[in-house]
Amino acid sequence: MTLLAEQMAERRERILESARALIAARGFEGLTMRELAQEAGVTVPTIYNLVGSKDEVLFSTVQEQTDRWFHGIEPAAGDVLAVVDANVEELLSNPPYYRSLVRLLMTSDAAGASRENVGRTLDALIRRALGELAESGELESWIDLRALQRQIQTRLWITSIGWANGEIADDQLAAQSRYGTAMLLLAACRDGARDEYAHVVRETQGPRSRDAAGDSSTDSNVTSLESRT
């Protein structure tokens, strides 16, 4: 890579990091190209040249983080709960940003491309993990893998939205994410896998201030979200 290319890559990453910080502080609607340029120490034309429009800035910030998350979890992607745990870890790595982002993905047409990108990534990881469960013989033969994958993915969306809306505390996010996924897998698995998910359910169930699974407003938001994908 030439020196010029390195400088351009560094500026681009600085723009995206600044965008994440501003989205966390003000939300996407409050993000302006002028303020982003000031925060990143570049000019507005530089943003358009290196990243693009405001919507393209959003897509790039989400895409790069999603790609890093995917490559980080890929070695353990054969385990459904490892995918769930990685999702939680990523959300809690920057709660203000991700709360704003999840709400944006849920409501904004501008976030359509980002929403589809995140959905495809989760889809691939969950399908791979379920495929390995099926190959091991620990998944009931009558299970429709695609239907189960969509149920797990929907449950993750519901829990993430509940967390973004303040219905689930940071320290409860992991337990509720694991609980919802393990409950679905408990009904679908047999032998050692069923015992494993039964253990997870026992470990994670208990008093919870508000259960995302029982919150009709969250469920309706997910239905609206899925109709966009």
Side-chain angles (χ1 to χ4, degrees):
M1 182 181 292
T2 66
L3 177 60
L4 177 59
E6 288 179 358
Q7 291 173 339
M8 291 175 65
E10 187 276 331
R11 287 193 196 101
R12 187 177 190 278
E13 183 55 33
R14 198 163 70 237
I15 290 167
L16 298 182
E17 286 297 330
S18 297
R20 293 182 188 108
L22 290 172
I23 290 171
R26 296 174 177 77
F28 180 69
E29 296 304 323
L31 176 69
T32 68
M33 299 297 267
R34 184 181 297 277
E35 187 176 19
L36 176 56
Q38 292 174 345
E39 183 76 15
V42 300
T43 65
V44 171
T46 296
I47 296 176
Y48 279 98
N49 289 334
L50 295 180
V51 185
S53 66
K54 181 177 174 179
D55 286 354
E56 288 170 320
V57 167
L58 172 65
F59 179 77
S60 294
T61 62
V62 177
Q63 182 182 39
E64 292 203 356
Q65 283 191 296
T66 302
D67 289 345
R68 285 199 294 268
W69 177 80
F70 178 84
H71 292 304
I73 189 58
E74 193 173 14
D79 182 345
V80 181
L81 289 180
V83 175
V84 171
D85 292 342
N87 184 63
V88 170
E89 183 178 355
E90 184 66 26
L91 292 176
L92 295 180
S93 69
N94 190 346
Y97 169 71
Y98 278 114
R99 284 194 180 94
S100 180
L101 180 62
V102 169
R103 290 193 295 267
L104 180 68
L105 292 176
M106 179 180 68
T107 60
S108 175
D109 289 336
S114 297
R115 181 169 56 243
E116 291 173 6
N117 188 43
V118 172
R120 281 193 300 269
T121 301
L122 277 173
D123 178 272
L125 290 168
I126 295 170
R127 276 191 291 111
R128 174 176 165 184
L130 291 178
E132 293 194 13
L133 264 178
E135 289 178 7
S136 72
E138 293 181 300
L139 199 65
E140 295 286 0
S141 60
W142 49 265
I143 290 292
D144 182 329
L145 291 182
R146 180 60 176 167
L148 179 57
Q149 176 269 317
R150 288 193 61 82
Q151 286 294 318
I152 293 173
Q153 191 164 344
T154 297
R155 178 53 48 195
L156 288 177
W157 274 119
I158 289 173
T159 306
S160 297
I161 291 169
W163 170 77
N165 288 336
E167 298 158 6
I168 300 172
D170 289 359
D171 62 1
Q172 286 295 308
L173 181 58
Q176 292 209 24
S177 297
R178 285 182 139 245
Y179 178 81
T181 303
M183 281 292 288
L184 289 168
L185 290 168
L186 183 61
C189 291
R190 59 189 178 194
D191 303 330
R194 191 177 194 283
D195 293 339
E196 175 189 351
Y197 296 123
H199 175 74
V200 172
V201 170
R202 286 194 297 271
E203 288 286 307
T204 55
Q205 69 183 349
R208 289 172 288 174
S209 57
R210 293 187 67 177
D211 185 354
D215 183 21
S216 59
S217 64
T218 299
D219 284 343
S220 65
N221 284 335
V222 171
T223 300
S224 175
L225 175 68
E226 288 193 322
S227 70
R228 298 168 179 263
T229 58

